[in-house]
Amino acid sequence: QVQLVESGGELVQPGGSLRLSCAASGSILSIAFMGWYRQAPGKQRELVAAITQDSITNYDDSVKGRFTISRDSAKNTVYLQMNSLKPEDTAVYYCSAKIKTGRDPLKGYWGQGTQVTVSS
């Protein structure tokens, strides 16, 4: 079974920085997409940043210029560098990926989430 494991979430003061990591493991043939989503209490889960196999990146307008997504294909790992954090960034951050494991079509996977809290 494919698993995604996130790490790096914690309490940080406004203006601070965090780096989230997500490592995929299992019987992986290829990864077409990896991205970060977040969900705050009472709100819908939203895409924060994504990177494709062709190295195309996309960011939500609220994080452009502050967050950077990167990928280490050799380690099947994606990172999210978060700078100039705001209280509005507080949420559970989820890693997601579309992975091919065999003859079946690409399938989406989710990590269990990591809590990011930005507060004084």
Side-chain angles (χ1 to χ4, degrees):
Q1 289 287 319
V2 172
Q3 290 186 322
L4 302 179
V5 180
E6 303 110 326
S7 63
E10 63 180 63
L11 174 65
V12 65
Q13 293 185 346
S17 298
L18 286 175
R19 190 191 192 198
L20 306 183
S21 300
C22 173
S25 62
S27 301
I28 299 172
L29 295 181
S30 64
I31 301 177
F33 160 94
M34 297 189 82
W36 289 95
Y37 292 73
R38 67 185 180 187
Q39 187 168 22
K43 296 185 177 180
Q44 192 174 25
R45 187 174 299 185
E46 63 180 7
L47 178 66
V48 178
I51 184 167
T52 70
Q53 195 172 43
D54 296 326
S55 299
I56 303 299
T57 58
N58 188 38
Y59 298 91
D60 184 82
D61 287 340
S62 66
V63 306
K64 286 183 178 178
R66 299 189 298 121
F67 292 9
T68 302
I69 189 169
S70 60
R71 180 181 183 179
D72 187 336
S73 297
K75 297 181 179 180
N76 290 328
T77 300
V78 65
Y79 306 93
L80 185 67
Q81 179 66 46
M82 304 185 293
N83 299 326
S84 302
L85 283 163
K86 305 175 181 179
E88 300 83 70
D89 295 318
T90 296
V92 178
Y93 284 70
Y94 297 91
C95 178
S96 181
K98 288 188 176 180
I99 299 173
K100 188 173 184 179
T101 60
R103 292 173 55 85
D104 295 332
L106 291 169
K107 183 178 179 180
Y109 296 88
W110 291 93
Q112 65 180 9
T114 184
Q115 177 71 49
V116 173
T117 302
V118 185
S119 177
S120 300

